[in-house]
Amino acid sequence: MHFKNHVTRLSQYKAALQRLDNNNVERTHAETISTYIGIPATQIRKDFSLFGIRGNKRGGYNVKDLLEELKNILGLNRDIPVILLGYGNLGKALTRYQGFHEGCVRIVAAFDPGVGVLSSQPPIPVYPPASIPKFLKNNPVKHAILAVPNEVAQAIFDELYENGVRGFINFSTVSLNVPEDAYVNNVDLELELETVIYYTKESKNKV
Amino acid sequence: MHFKNHVTRLSQYKAALQRLDNNNVERTHAETISTYIGIPATQIRKDFSLFGIRGNKRGGYNVKDLLEELKNILGLNRDIPVILLGYGNLGKALTRYQGFHEGCVRIVAAFDPGVGVLSSQPPIPVYPPASIPKFLKNNPVKHAILAVPNEVAQAIFDELYENGVRGFINFSTVSLNVPEDAYVNNVDLELELETVIYYTKESKNKV
DNA sequence: TAGGTAATGTGATATTTATCACAATATACT
DNA sequence: AGTATATTGTGATAAATATCACATTACCTA
Ligand SMILES: NC(=O)c1ccc[n+]([C@@H]2O[C@H](COP(=O)([O-])OP(=O)(O)OC[C@H]3O[C@@H](n4cnc5c(N)ncnc54)[C@H](O)[C@@H]3O)[C@@H](O)[C@H]2O)c1
Ligand SMILES: NC(=O)c1ccc[n+]([C@@H]2O[C@H](COP(=O)([O-])OP(=O)(O)OC[C@H]3O[C@@H](n4cnc5c(N)ncnc54)[C@H](O)[C@@H]3O)[C@@H](O)[C@H]2O)c1
């Protein structure tokens, strides 16, 4: 069992709980979460059961406690520093995104060869790629966002792996060669668009 | 059977074939594609079988033919106009992305209330949201990218649906209420990051 | 043109994932 | 206190997805 779907759902539950907590809701139920995020209540309970999360029969779940448990399971109970590779279109969008500030993820630095010619002051430090090893020696960051061109993605990945980074989001559209003890989540936006197109074709191929 | 995974893989195959074709490769094999994108050759053949794609025993596949077949199945054999909702951080990044130009997807227009105060000339027309119905009456676009704040995502979705849009990518982090005959692909970047964090926790929760 | 072989194509099987049905139980009500 | 009921928790079942094993066949070589 790889649990990819389970983990994704846990993260969704966490987001829902976060919102409930922000609205000062104190108790909730599987059924409530279900209507919030469109996942069947029975699936939610089954997931909780699998990860050892216990509620209160008839009383549902205490929002703060459940949120805390979910964060613990996901590893979000502490600040997570992340570095960004490639301060281009996508990289800039990610650094400017306010949503991350509410969670525990912090993009602490970016690396881009265009560092010298940046027009405006970026909200985080941007360094030349050559300084990656030194930076990681001083700041043992374990997670990276790859928003670099396809051509350099594997090389950059290898260098980061060499220097201790183990968790990656890869926005490039190449499939990386990844050692056993690293984890890469490929987010291919072209592909996401194409699946939408398939499902909205007038004449689906009957299979 | 929902085929979500199958369709995602078909799209990956298509991308691989596109690259082979760009490199003027004429014939290929399941095994070659496999090393390209890291999916087992047997899975590739099974997928082909399922979607009625036939190769040549011993001779593998003709690259151009296979590419054409995959495009047909995915509905990518014609230009697909797409509109963008929200010309903010993410929306700008998407419109500036060069990769889409190589495929058949075209972002033809964006809608954003900030249209009057844009600092630089955007590469596509940006209209005020009020003009959505009129635009869609004149341009029956069927696909949209939602890159709007969470608060307005459902309202914008409803309006687009009313005006005939049926395929969506939703970058907001809310779960939309979606009629049967529409398809929404939720791409939640926060969530994608969080799954990476889970898989790189030192002490995984044993289950 | 016959035999060897590299590939495809697919039924059978295994694994993973989701749903269902219902027993267990804490709370609310009288 | 005793009963009704809302809600959890989970084994059993179903559905979806992936892998395997191997029969088939087109090409190549001699
Ligand atoms: N922008 C999008 O909407 C979009 C959509 C789909 C896929 N992608 C993929 O995401 C990736 C980034 O896309 P983008 O639009 O931001 O591209 P971009 O060209 O705008 O940005 C890439 C950045 O990486 C930098 N870079 C180059 N070599 C580098 C190196 N060795 N180390 C660090 N940085 C380096 C470049 O200077 C540039 O600033 C690409 O792989 C692209 O295929 C982007
Ligand atoms: N940027 C990221 O890296 C990132 C990461 C994760 C999630 N998201 C999500 O993606 C969405 C967009 O993020 P962003 O960073 O681009 O936000 P943003 O605020 O930069 O852009 C949103 C844009 O939508 C426009 N808008 C507001 N109301 C609108 C309406 N009714 N019709 C059309 N446009 C409207 C705003 O004027 C703004 O330009 C958000 O839901 C956000 O939660 C973004």
Side-chain angles (χ1 to χ4, degrees):
Chain A
M1 288 211 242
H2 193 230
F3 285 122
K4 173 86 205 246
N5 296 11
H6 295 88
V7 174
T8 302
R9 285 197 301 269
L10 287 185
S11 190
Q12 292 181 263
Y13 304 153
K14 191 224 64 178
L17 268 285
Q18 191 84 66
R19 224 171 299 167
L20 287 168
D21 190 38
N22 289 347
N23 296 340
N24 297 310
V25 176
E26 300 208 339
R27 310 212 113 251
T28 191
H29 310 116
E31 209 59 62
T32 311
I33 302 172
S34 172
T35 55
Y36 238 73
I37 57 178
I39 291 174
T42 167
Q43 174 81 78
I44 295 172
R45 289 202 298 274
K46 187 85 206 208
D47 287 338
F48 285 179
S49 167
L50 192 59
F51 285 90
I53 295 174
R54 321 307 308 273
N56 192 317
K57 287 211 162 114
R58 176 106 194 218
Y61 306 86
N62 175 290
V63 170
K64 275 197 197 307
D65 292 352
L66 180 51
L67 181 55
E68 210 54 37
E69 276 193 273
L70 288 167
K71 280 187 178 175
N72 276 333
I73 293 168
L74 290 165
L76 298 171
N77 43 2
R78 56 186 184 86
D79 266 28
I80 311 277
V82 174
I83 57 175
L84 170 67
L85 286 298
Y87 191 67
N89 295 320
L90 207 50
K92 287 195 183 90
L94 291 166
T95 56
R96 287 179 195 146
Y97 177 55
Q98 296 304 313
F100 291 135
H101 301 313
E102 286 164 24
C104 63
V105 171
R106 302 265 173 279
I107 302 181
V108 294
F111 297 89
D112 196 302
V115 57
V117 297
L118 294 173
S119 52
S120 60
Q121 188 64 25
I124 54 163
V126 180
Y127 303 114
S131 63
I132 291 172
K134 190 170 155 215
F135 180 92
L136 287 172
K137 228 150 263 151
N138 297 331
N139 309 271
V141 174
K142 292 280 169 273
H143 300 89
I145 299 172
L146 300 181
V148 295
N150 287 338
E151 300 77 42
V152 302
Q154 182 71 57
I156 290 284
F157 171 87
D158 292 343
E159 174 154 38
L160 294 173
Y161 180 82
E162 283 280 311
N163 288 280
V165 181
R166 288 296 177 270
F168 298 81
I169 286 209
N170 174 28
F171 284 103
S172 89
T173 62
V174 296
S175 134
L176 299 173
N177 217 306
V178 181
E180 267 296 318
D181 66 337
Y183 182 83
V184 175
N185 187 358
N186 295 297
V187 178
D188 186 329
L189 302 180
E190 277 188 69
L191 209 131
E192 299 294 345
L193 241 178
E194 290 181 359
T195 63
V196 172
I197 291 164
Y198 173 83
Y199 284 111
T200 47
K201 283 208 309 176
E202 325 72 39
S203 69
K204 293 263 181 56
N205 313 60
K206 41 222 144 293
V207 179
Chain B
M1 287 210 240
H2 193 230
F3 285 123
K4 174 87 207 246
N5 296 10
H6 295 87
V7 175
T8 302
R9 284 198 302 270
L10 288 185
S11 191
Q12 292 182 263
Y13 304 153
K14 191 224 65 180
L17 268 287
Q18 190 84 67
R19 224 171 297 165
L20 287 168
D21 190 38
N22 289 347
N23 296 338
N24 296 310
V25 177
E26 299 209 340
R27 311 212 111 251
T28 192
H29 309 114
E31 209 59 62
T32 310
I33 302 172
S34 172
T35 56
Y36 238 73
I37 57 178
I39 290 173
T42 168
Q43 174 80 78
I44 295 173
R45 289 202 299 274
K46 188 86 209 210
D47 287 338
F48 286 178
S49 167
L50 193 60
F51 285 90
I53 295 175
R54 322 305 310 273
N56 191 317
K57 286 215 160 97
R58 175 104 196 222
Y61 306 87
N62 176 289
V63 170
K64 275 198 198 306
D65 292 353
L66 179 52
L67 181 55
E68 210 54 38
E69 276 193 273
L70 288 167
K71 281 187 178 175
N72 275 334
I73 293 167
L74 290 165
L76 298 172
N77 43 1
R78 57 185 183 86
D79 266 27
I80 310 277
V82 174
I83 56 175
L84 170 67
L85 287 298
Y87 191 66
N89 295 321
L90 207 50
K92 287 194 183 94
L94 292 166
T95 55
R96 288 179 193 146
Y97 177 56
Q98 296 304 313
F100 292 134
H101 300 312
E102 288 165 22
C104 62
V105 171
R106 304 264 172 280
I107 301 181
V108 294
F111 297 88
D112 196 303
V115 56
V117 296
L118 295 172
S119 52
S120 59
Q121 188 63 27
I124 53 162
V126 180
Y127 303 113
S131 64
I132 291 172
K134 191 171 154 213
F135 181 92
L136 287 172
K137 228 149 263 150
N138 297 331
N139 310 272
V141 174
K142 291 279 168 274
H143 300 89
I145 299 172
L146 299 181
V148 296
N150 287 337
E151 301 77 42
V152 302
Q154 182 73 57
I156 290 284
F157 171 87
D158 293 343
E159 174 154 37
L160 295 173
Y161 179 83
E162 284 279 310
N163 289 281
V165 181
R166 287 296 177 269
F168 298 80
I169 286 209
N170 174 28
F171 283 103
S172 89
T173 62
V174 296
S175 135
L176 299 172
N177 217 307
V178 181
E180 267 296 318
D181 66 337
Y183 181 83
V184 176
N185 189 357
N186 295 297
V187 179
D188 186 329
L189 301 180
E190 277 188 68
L191 210 130
E192 298 294 347
L193 242 178
E194 290 181 359
T195 63
V196 173
I197 291 164
Y198 173 83
Y199 284 111
T200 48
K201 284 207 309 177
E202 327 70 39
S203 69
K204 293 263 180 56
N205 313 58
K206 40 221 147 299
V207 179

